[in-house]
Amino acid sequence: MTGSTSVSSLDDRRAGTSVVAEALRITGRDRRPVFGSAVLAGAAALLVGGGIVAGAFAASWGFFLQARRSAESAIENEDSYVAYADQWDSLVKVAFCVFPLLLLVTMGSMAWLLTAQAVTVAHVRERAAAGTDPAAAPGALTLHGLWCRSRPHLGVALRVQLLTLVCALVPGLAGLLVLVAVELEMVPGVVWPTYHDPATVQFILVGRILPVVIWALGLVLLARFSLATTVRVADHSSATAAMRRSWTLTRTARLHTTGIFLLSTVAVAVAFTVNTWLGTYAAHWAGLLMLATTGDNVWVTGVLVIITPVAVALVLLPLALAPMGVLLACLRERLDDCAAEARAPSGA
């Protein structure tokens, strides 16, 4: 039993390595559709997301001017003041209107990227299936061809992303609810630590470890549903059917799928961190420009400088998400082939 388990684990590691190698090979060989789709996603996010953020600044402009007048008046009278004290509630209302719109833009970009990479991998498989027959081999996949083949799937792919987000939000909000309950002292025997009272074992278990475990469950759900968009492209199924198929495919390879998903997530997180660091340089010049155009209004400039690095990172993020989409599409094909091989003996 131990020997068979070791062999199975070795096979899983080899399969995972081969899937990653295949995804890297496709990304390098077919970089035009892979990264071309990423550039289109970044450009669309910049235009649409930038327009939404610009609209939010326009709607909040009066609040920033009022914050400046209140601060200058308090300084002249030598009174203490709190930044945005009277404008905070209004700014939060604007933010709550903007965040859902930006989230929708993000879901649309994810739907496009995952669909485009699934189409790219399917095109590679069609080209490989044609072999040496030049008449049967498809031509090069241009961006126009990629759009034409991806467009019929985008509506369903967007629904897949929204359903996946809802499933992941359940453990995400549950973990936050645990933290809120602990902070409000609603959990018997668990007290939030202070400067004089260090963290107890009960607090570490309930206030630290339990939320992490719940959030880890959310990552597992994301991994199990991560193949749904590629399933849709391959099977032309509905959103719910694609998610059920993704769940079924990953059932026999939970560790394999979760490991590849976590590897991709870490790579994307590193890329996001690097892009955020690069965005600080853009934030510096954006802040100088805002100061020059608003007569040194530090209140609106401060907000712009804070959000600019994150905005730059999000615009550049599709360049990292595109290879992840290729990897997920390759994983779906590998698991689909394994499932077909497993059914073959019984069918025969």
Side-chain angles (χ1 to χ4, degrees):
M1 180 66 69
T2 305
S4 62
T5 303
S6 301
V7 172
S8 176
S9 300
L10 180 60
D11 291 340
D12 287 344
R13 288 196 295 269
R14 289 175 177 173
T17 304
S18 62
V19 169
V20 174
E22 181 184 5
L24 292 175
R25 195 162 50 246
I26 293 175
T27 300
R29 188 175 56 232
D30 297 85
R31 54 186 175 273
R32 182 176 180 181
V34 171
F35 292 107
S37 61
V39 171
L40 290 177
L46 178 61
L47 293 176
V48 180
I52 294 173
V53 174
F57 271 105
S60 307
W61 199 257
F63 304 135
F64 290 120
L65 295 180
Q66 185 178 355
R68 177 179 183 175
R69 288 192 295 266
S70 300
E72 291 176 347
S73 175
I75 292 173
E76 290 177 359
N77 297 328
E78 297 182 355
D79 295 332
S80 61
Y81 68 93
V82 178
Y84 313 107
D86 299 325
Q87 298 79 31
W88 182 254
D89 292 340
S90 300
L91 291 174
V92 169
K93 291 178 182 178
V94 174
F96 272 115
C97 294
V98 170
F99 285 159
L101 296 177
L102 292 178
L103 185 60
L104 185 60
V105 173
T106 303
M107 295 294 101
S109 298
M110 286 293 299
W112 157 249
L113 284 171
L114 294 180
T115 301
Q117 309 323 317
V119 169
T120 301
V121 173
H123 181 270
V124 171
R125 169 163 284 202
E126 293 169 4
R127 189 170 55 202
T132 57
D133 185 3
L141 186 60
T142 63
L143 289 180
H144 180 265
L146 180 65
W147 166 253
C148 292
R149 293 186 58 171
S150 302
R151 184 173 55 188
H153 306 289
L154 292 179
V156 177
L158 180 58
R159 289 195 290 274
V160 167
Q161 297 304 312
L162 293 175
L163 290 174
T164 303
L165 177 63
V166 170
C167 294
L169 278 178
V170 173
L173 294 177
L176 290 177
L177 184 62
V178 171
L179 292 178
V180 172
V182 172
E183 186 175 6
L184 296 178
E185 299 182 358
M186 298 174 61
V187 182
V190 179
V191 180
W192 199 275
T194 62
Y195 180 78
H196 300 286
D197 298 322
T200 61
V201 175
Q202 294 89 337
F203 173 79
I204 294 175
L205 291 175
V206 178
R208 290 291 182 262
I209 297 179
L210 182 58
V212 173
V213 172
I214 296 175
W215 291 331
L217 176 61
L219 286 177
V220 172
L221 290 177
L222 287 176
R224 297 293 300 274
F225 291 131
S226 61
L227 307 183
T229 301
T230 63
V231 169
R232 156 65 193 185
V233 173
D235 300 343
H236 295 268
S237 54
S238 64
T240 53
M243 295 181 71
R244 286 196 299 268
R245 179 59 178 166
S246 176
W247 188 272
T248 302
L249 284 175
T250 57
R251 179 182 300 164
T252 57
R254 294 184 181 92
L255 294 179
H256 185 192
T257 303
T258 304
I260 289 180
F261 182 80
L262 289 178
L263 175 65
S264 303
T265 302
V266 170
V268 171
V270 171
F272 182 82
T273 303
V274 173
N275 292 338
T276 303
W277 173 73
L278 294 175
T280 57
Y281 295 95
H284 172 72
W285 294 105
L288 293 178
L289 181 62
M290 181 62 76
L291 285 174
T293 56
T294 59
D296 295 334
N297 189 334
V298 296
W299 309 105
V300 63
T301 302
V303 175
L304 179 65
V305 169
I306 290 174
I307 69 173
T308 296
V310 178
V312 171
L314 291 176
V315 170
L316 296 177
L317 194 60
L319 295 175
L321 289 173
M324 178 181 178
V326 175
L327 179 58
L328 294 177
C330 292
L331 177 61
R332 198 278 313 167
E333 287 197 345
R334 183 61 55 86
L335 294 179
D336 214 10
D337 291 342
C338 293
E341 291 176 1
R343 291 193 303 264
S346 60

